[in-house]
Amino acid sequence: MKAVASKMEKANMEAAIVYAPETVADGRDARPSIAQVESTTLAAGVFANSSVRKTAGKLSRQVIFYAVLLGIWALLAKLKVWPPYLFPAPWSVGEVLVDGFKDHSFLIGIAATMKRMLIGYGLSVVLGMILGLAVASNKFLEETLGGLMVSLQSLPSICWVPLAILWFGLSEKAILFVVLMGSLLSVTIAMEDGRKQLPKIYSMAGRNLGANGFRLFWHVLLPASLPYIVSGLKQGWAFAWRSLIQAEMIFLTLGLGQLLMAGRDLNDMNQVIAVMILIVGLGYLVDGLVFRTAERALQNRWGLAPSA
């Protein structure tokens, strides 16, 4: 009976340990109190409010900046420091923008330009990633093709236009060739740098965990290289965008570049500035909606976000 009683007492003690609240050495309850939970919730709310205030402050500063810039523009136009046909007023440019969207000329130009951009840039991304991986993985290609690519990147995109005309004539293929060459080298070099600058411990850890070949690249090397790759893709987009507008201005084919040259030929400064605003606005939208979003996601994913 004593043995049974001792077993029952031991079981009760174990159950009490399992279901008893966590305690510290001096016997106090180690679980957070209601006051502690409320303070933690309050801190989280303060942090959220702080983020909202930072975003609102950033937007307000941007609005004030562009409002001041617009005001200076309007003041200079009102004072007629330069003739109106050389320095038009903001409201005159605004009227041209509205009319251009009403008669769909701007919409057609934007559609044609963005179509070429997506095709040319898409090709440069695919080919650039393949070339970058090949150069980073092969010593012979790195010593030969790698140096050539760095030298070619210093060549302005406009220099590819005569070659494109001689090879493809005044055609759509010539424009796409200029766009491709404008961004291919930037994407390739970014992919090569991202692959080469990875710490060797990543590949070693992946192999120790059983990843080899394509699995090692897809699950270890590629995710770790994404910050470098996104930076290269962003730079490649900027190069491709500039190359495309230059090519459209020279080839005089349907697009924003052609509308810009049409404004010049008609001596219409309102249209010239309106198209320039469209080009800058589209570039800003793509950068903000695509690349900055991707950069923030990567920073948060890999713990690279700035502390302030």
Side-chain angles (χ1 to χ4, degrees), residues 224-235:
S225 303
L226 282 178
Y228 302 97
I229 296 173
V230 171
S231 178
L233 293 178
K234 181 178 179 179
Q235 187 180 30

Side-chain angles (χ1 to χ4, degrees), residues 224-263:
S225 303
L226 282 178
Y228 302 97
I229 296 173
V230 171
S231 178
L233 293 178
K234 181 178 179 179
Q235 187 180 30
W237 170 270
F239 287 157
W241 187 239
R242 291 198 295 266
S243 302
L244 175 58
I245 300 301
Q246 292 171 357
E248 288 182 345
M249 291 172 64
I250 293 174
F251 286 86
L252 293 179
T253 184
L254 184 64
L256 292 177
Q258 183 266 338
L259 291 173
L260 190 64
M261 294 302 289

Side-chain angles (χ1 to χ4, degrees), residues 275-286:
V275 176
M276 291 174 64
I277 290 174
L278 287 177
I279 294 171
V280 173
L282 286 172
Y284 183 82
L285 282 177
V286 172

Side-chain angles (χ1 to χ4, degrees), residues 62-126:
Q62 290 177 346
V63 170
I64 292 172
F65 171 76
Y66 288 111
V68 171
L69 201 63
L70 192 63
I72 295 173
W73 180 9
L75 179 61
L76 291 175
K78 200 73 174 176
L79 294 175
K80 295 184 178 180
V81 179
W82 298 279
Y85 63 87
L86 292 179
F87 193 83
W91 46 88
S92 300
V93 177
E95 290 177 0
V96 173
L97 281 170
V98 172
D99 293 339
F101 281 107
K102 281 184 178 179
D103 62 17
H104 301 107
S105 59
F106 285 167
L107 293 176
I108 295 172
I110 291 172
T113 297
M114 294 305 295
K115 177 184 176 181
R116 296 189 188 103
M117 185 66 188
L118 292 176
I119 295 174
Y121 180 68
L123 288 173
S124 69
V125 169
V126 174

